[in-house]
Amino acid sequence: MTRSSPPSQSSPAQDSPPLQSPPEAAFERTPVTSTRSLRQLSVFWLGSACILATTAITRKAVWRRQLRTKPSFYAPNTNPHEFFSPMSDALQALNLATMNCFSVGLMLVGGTMWTLDIANLKEARSILRGRLNYDSIYRSADDAPNGLGETLLRAGETRIVEEDGDGHDTKPR
């Protein structure tokens, strides 16, 4: 059995459209191995390391408290020899809770920075102002207050003046 090849036709060249390049992606993400991405992820990993550390510290504090309250085998339990200070226990609990919350917050900030591709506070501010249309509220970047202090100063400089029916200024409030 031999295969026969299809007959070759010598027809004139057909007009075919030129090869098109693939469409360009609308948004390209920063590679994970870039220095920018690694800096953002380092905040996340620092937060997760802090969570591990504070969890270990909290477990050890709870374990110590349980050992302290358990009496010895031959000791009477009617008069425990433990020094009990509610203020000390409350301060220790507050300290541990603060460390745990700070660790979780640090991890959330790092993860959010990496997810939204924000490297610093200046970028975050420009993105937020762009979304809130600050350009239409403040005509130039110099008019926009940079912090709470400037906002309060500008609010203190503003005075409301009441006008009576004749158009005369009566008194500022």
Side-chain angles (χ1 to χ4, degrees):
M1 269 194 190
T2 60
R3 285 192 170 172
S4 63
S5 62
S8 62
Q9 298 173 353
S10 58
S11 63
Q14 297 175 354
D15 292 329
S16 63
L19 295 176
Q20 294 178 352
S21 62
E24 209 174 288
F27 176 73
E28 286 192 25
R29 190 164 165 83
T30 308
V32 176
T33 57
S34 70
T35 56
R36 176 185 174 97
S37 181
L38 291 177
R39 185 174 55 235
Q40 294 162 346
L41 273 176
S42 67
V43 176
F44 174 78
W45 293 120
L46 175 69
S48 60
C50 287
I51 284 179
L52 289 176
T54 58
T55 303
I57 291 170
T58 304
R59 286 183 56 134
K60 187 163 183 160
V62 169
W63 181 69
R64 259 193 254 141
R65 170 112 170 110
Q66 288 175 348
L67 281 180
R68 203 174 52 178
T69 58
K70 186 177 178 183
S72 302
F73 185 72
Y74 290 107
N77 63 357
T78 56
N79 187 15
H81 296 281
E82 176 197 354
F83 174 72
F84 178 70
S85 172
M87 188 63 153
S88 173
D89 289 344
L91 285 176
Q92 184 180 18
L94 179 66
N95 187 19
L96 292 172
T98 303
M99 287 191 312
N100 286 327
C101 289
F102 178 76
S103 302
V104 169
L106 188 61
M107 192 169 120
L108 286 175
V109 165
T112 304
M113 283 176 57
W114 182 74
T115 303
L116 299 177
D117 197 25
I118 297 172
N120 54 22
L121 187 61
K122 187 175 182 181
E123 277 186 24
R125 185 180 292 160
S126 67
I127 289 171
L128 182 64
R129 286 183 176 176
R131 300 239 177 174
L132 294 177
N133 293 327
Y134 260 48
D135 296 335
S136 64
I137 298 170
Y138 300 104
R139 298 297 175 228
S140 68
D142 297 333
D143 293 342
N146 286 328
L148 184 62
E150 284 187 31
T151 305
L152 292 175
L153 279 174
R154 290 193 183 175
E157 292 172 359
T158 307
R159 299 204 184 259
I160 300 173
V161 178
E162 292 181 3
E163 294 182 3
D164 59 1
D166 299 337
H168 300 287
D169 296 339
T170 56
K171 64 174 185 174
R173 275 196 282 172

